[in-house]
Amino acid sequence: AIAAPDPADLATTTAPPHGVPVPAPFPGGFAAALDKNALRGARLGVLRQVFRPERTDPQVLANFERTLAELRAAGAEIIDPFIVPALDS
C-alpha cells in the first residue's frame, strides 16, 4: 500500500494525496490510523481459477492461504471458490 510520497521514489513525489487523514510523520504509526473493523461484513471472492496449483509457485499459494486466513480473522466473509463460468474460454 502506498500511504505517502517516498523520497526514494520520484514517481510518488508528484502523486496526489492518497486520502489517508493522518498528519506526517504518522503519529502512532500508519497502522494507528487504520480501522480495525474495516473488513467486517466485507465479502471477498477467491478466484482460484487463476491460482492453479500446477502453474503457481507453492510459496505463493502458501502466502495466499495465510492471507485468506488473516482476512477471515479480520471479519471478512470469504467466498471460496468464486467461479467465473466463462473465464477459461
Side-chain angles (χ1 to χ4, degrees):
I2 298 174
D6 178 353
D9 180 0
L10 295 179
T12 66
T13 60
T14 59
H18 299 293
V20 179
V22 181
F26 304 121
F30 178 71
L34 301 177
D35 180 357
K36 292 179 182 181
N37 297 311
L39 287 174
R40 293 205 190 283
R43 296 182 70 210
L44 305 174
V46 180
L47 190 59
R48 291 197 182 268
Q49 289 167 281
V50 297
F51 289 103
R52 294 196 173 129
E54 67 274 8
R55 295 191 319 219
T56 305
D57 185 294
Q59 288 181 317
V60 169
L61 291 173
N63 286 335
F64 189 70
E65 293 302 328
R66 276 193 296 276
T67 299
L68 289 175
E70 291 172 1
L71 291 167
R72 278 187 195 95
E77 177 186 354
I78 305 297
I79 312 302
D80 187 6
F82 177 78
I83 304 294
V84 176
L87 182 68
D88 294 330
S89 61

